[in-house]
Amino acid sequence: MGLPDKTVGEARERVRAALAALGLALPPRRILINLVPADLPKEGSHFDLPIALAIMTAMGILSSEALSAYAAIGELSLDGRLQATGGVLSAALETIGLQLGLICPRSQAQEARWASDALDILAPETLRGLLAHFNGDHVLTPPELETVSASPPVADLAEIRGLETGRRALEIAASGGHSLLMTGPPGAGKSMLAQCLPSILPELTHEQILECSRIHSLGGQAAGSVLVTQPPFRAPHHSTTLPALVGGGSRSRPGEVSLAHNGVLFLDELPEFSRACLESLRQPLETGSITVARARQTVLYPSRFQLIAAMNPCRCGYLGDTTRSCRKAPRCGEDYLARLSGPMLDRLDLSLFVTPVSPLNMITLPPGESSANVRARVCAARARQIDRQGVPNSQADATSITLSTEARNLISQADERLRLSARGLTRLLRVSRSIADLDNADIVSAPHISEALGFRLRSPLPSQQ
Ligand SMILES: Nc1ncnc2c1ncn2[C@@H]1O[C@H](COP(=O)(O)OP(=O)(O)OP(=O)(O)O)[C@@H](O)[C@H]1O
Ligand SMILES: [Mg+2]
């Protein structure tokens, strides 16, 4: 009892079978399992192991004294093996606070180890293995933290020919964690550029790995270990629903914006996303977190992601190209752009029009600079930012950015022309700071501001750029 869902209810059969595999038959009596607190709905298969251990203690097979030093989490298979389940990392972090050890499935020992070096972890393969440990027949060895080998991202900047401005914008965006909008005709290379971003992003810190892994572990993405060791790159399709994007549903699961925490949210074909989806991004883009409120509970998920968006300038995609655009140009472009609200566009730090490389240049141009080289510059610039202010430039306090006199003058001239919002100015200053960091400069000077202004959104349409 205690509001179990169907999965918890079926633990009855799994536990019975797992104990039978050990040669244990349940006593022919009524067995009452009380899940507390009584008014909080329980869900998931991770209660199997604790339920089995409680029954074994009640039967006198395990000593409750030995078990009292541990919390337990894990699903049981019918033959008594411990199966991976969601939430092990969160459970491990929680048990540290309770000054307990943790019993979890073998396959998730690494996940638990990431929580702390000092945590007492028992990670048996089977229920039988755990019993042998407590009987002193075969003591389990505590798992060691394995170093994670970064799997190389698939897309590399070396495959891209030309597109110098696009590459530059990507480098600036990566170094400071800025948001970026790429507009351009079909096949210009927008999606390709975005796919290359993971290959130049700085590594996650230990803390960020924990944060991301906790969220992904709750999202129940995959069975088994869910350590997120690379910056996440989430690319939801434009048909995505609002709960899938921002989180929610009956279980208040984290959405794509939270799964992209400390990483990238890539929205390809931006205007094709539903209006509700696009507007819902405004809160997390500004505050770095999102509140998912449902009838039963309210959950605050972190969602500090870098937004990368791509779009065509209009429906047919060829606006600005007189030989190929449709008869409705330029109206079609204005209508298409109108799907994006002003406040949404105001939140984009960098914007550029991607002009396709001509077929001749595609053949004659040499391959571009490799991601490894670009990444070295990005990491150096990011290290400067962390040294100076502890956070990437996209979260920096814009008022503390030091400007040269010429830079100041340039901004006031530009302001008359661009009518920057207060947010626009903040974002402009942060991007300029990133450009200066890539340039190894302590003070933001006029060339940095003017490059940032070049990437400031006026209109993503080619004719007005
Ligand atoms: N500059 C380039 N260097 C190398 N390959 C390129 C370049 N531009 C385009 N391509 C090739 O064209 C393909 C299509 O590019 P991509 O999918 O990025 O276009 P897109 O701008 O996203 O177009 P759409 O608007 O239709 O989504 C890429 O997979 C790549 O093979
Ligand atoms: Mg594309």
Side-chain angles (χ1 to χ4, degrees):
M1 58 191 220
L3 302 183
D5 75 348
K6 189 118 181 21
T7 324
V8 182
E10 285 174 354
R12 190 196 311 258
E13 301 308 327
R14 286 191 297 272
V15 169
R16 191 192 300 277
L19 292 182
L22 277 179
L24 296 172
L26 287 180
R29 279 195 266 160
R30 187 168 131 84
I31 296 175
L32 187 62
I33 307 282
N34 186 21
L35 303 168
V36 290
D39 59 345
L40 187 75
K42 318 294 183 306
E43 57 188 41
S45 56
H46 55 278
F47 291 107
D48 291 7
L49 179 63
I51 290 175
L53 296 179
I55 294 177
M56 285 160 82
T57 318
M59 288 165 73
I61 294 161
L62 277 173
S63 94
S64 59
E65 210 175 307
L67 268 184
S68 63
Y70 292 96
I73 181 169
E75 180 183 321
L76 287 174
S77 68
L78 299 184
D79 59 359
R81 271 180 296 120
L82 267 59
Q83 307 268 44
T85 163
V88 167
L89 183 63
S90 286
L93 290 166
E94 203 63 29
T95 49
I96 297 171
L98 297 171
Q99 300 192 322
L100 292 174
L102 183 73
I103 308 174
C104 70
R106 174 96 243 156
S107 56
Q108 288 179 294
Q110 279 304 310
E111 211 178 313
R113 181 48 83 218
W114 265 89
S116 161
D117 279 340
L119 183 65
D120 178 9
I121 300 170
L122 295 182
E125 201 89 48
T126 60
L127 207 48
R128 190 182 294 278
L130 186 64
L131 201 55
H133 173 83
F134 281 121
N135 290 341
D137 297 339
H138 192 288
V139 177
L140 292 166
T141 46
E144 296 282 330
L145 186 66
E146 287 165 15
T147 47
V148 284
S149 51
S151 53
V154 259
D156 195 291
L157 281 172
E159 293 154 24
I160 300 181
R161 282 157 210 271
L163 299 185
E164 293 308 329
T165 323
R167 297 173 65 106
R168 175 72 180 159
L170 207 62
E171 185 173 333
I172 298 169
S175 73
H178 304 289
S179 51
L180 167 70
L181 170 67
M182 292 180 279
T183 317
K190 306 179 292 295
S191 305
M192 185 176 61
L193 274 167
Q195 303 286 353
C196 288
L197 184 59
S199 67
I200 59 168
L201 285 178
E203 263 170 28
L204 294 178
T205 62
H206 188 97
E207 222 126 83
Q208 288 176 324
I209 291 181
L210 279 183
E211 268 182 353
C212 291
S213 303
R214 272 191 102 166
I215 302 171
H216 283 245
S217 141
L218 289 177
Q221 291 296 302
S225 194
V226 282
L227 272 184
V228 179
T229 51
Q230 312 271 314
F233 183 85
R234 307 291 302 187
H237 187 250
H238 58 69
S239 64
T240 187
T241 61
L242 191 59
L245 188 67
V246 300
S250 59
R251 293 177 161 202
S252 302
R253 288 266 175 90
E256 291 292 335
V257 294
S258 303
L259 294 170
H261 181 61
N262 289 330
V264 178
L265 182 71
F266 174 41
L267 302 183
D268 210 352
E269 325 298 349
L270 188 67
E272 303 290 344
F273 281 80
S274 77
R275 187 170 193 96
C277 280
L278 290 177
E279 295 305 304
S280 69
L281 295 176
R282 285 166 55 176
Q283 186 209 345
L285 272 174
E286 210 64 5
T287 62
S289 64
I290 189 147
T291 315
V292 181
R294 289 293 173 273
R296 278 189 186 145
Q297 64 209 68
T298 303
V299 192
L300 181 80
Y301 285 119
S303 57
R304 194 169 292 289
F305 58 84
Q306 180 178 4
L307 177 68
I308 305 293
M311 62 181 273
N312 296 127
C314 64
R315 203 129 223 156
C316 73
Y318 293 106
L319 189 71
D321 181 343
T322 41
T323 55
R324 299 173 87 173
S325 60
C326 67
R327 276 184 291 126
K328 284 196 228 137
R331 265 294 303 284
C332 64
E334 287 155 18
D335 289 350
Y336 200 58
L337 190 66
R339 295 188 187 193
L340 307 175
S341 70
M344 178 73 204
L345 292 175
D346 200 36
R347 281 166 172 75
L348 294 161
D349 299 324
L350 298 150
S351 163
L352 79 152
F353 192 84
V354 181
T355 313
V357 175
S358 71
L360 178 67
N361 281 345
M362 275 295 265
I363 305 166
T364 52
L365 279 175
E369 193 181 15
S370 75
S371 287
N373 283 358
V374 180
R375 186 162 181 272
R377 288 198 297 270
V378 167
C379 290
R382 179 67 69 90
R384 287 176 61 93
Q385 300 167 24
I386 303 295
D387 273 354
R388 187 177 52 234
Q389 70 232 359
V391 286
N393 284 338
S394 56
Q395 299 162 41
D397 175 11
T399 51
S400 67
I401 293 175
T402 328
L403 299 170
S404 72
T405 321
E406 298 86 70
R408 246 171 241 282
N409 294 341
L410 190 57
I411 290 177
S412 52
Q413 283 166 21
D415 188 34
E416 280 165 26
R417 233 174 350 110
L418 292 173
R419 313 209 57 84
L420 288 166
S421 65
R423 184 195 290 121
L425 178 66
T426 304
R427 290 182 179 260
L428 175 80
L429 289 173
R430 288 172 177 165
V431 172
S432 317
R433 186 60 260 179
S434 290
I435 296 173
D437 281 325
L438 282 169
D439 201 15
N440 226 340
D442 287 331
I443 293 180
V444 176
S445 51
H448 307 136
I449 298 278
S450 85
E451 185 172 9
L453 279 170
F455 285 121
R456 188 71 212 158
L457 186 87
R458 272 151 276 176
S459 159
L461 305 184
S463 48
Q464 294 157 35
Q465 190 90 31

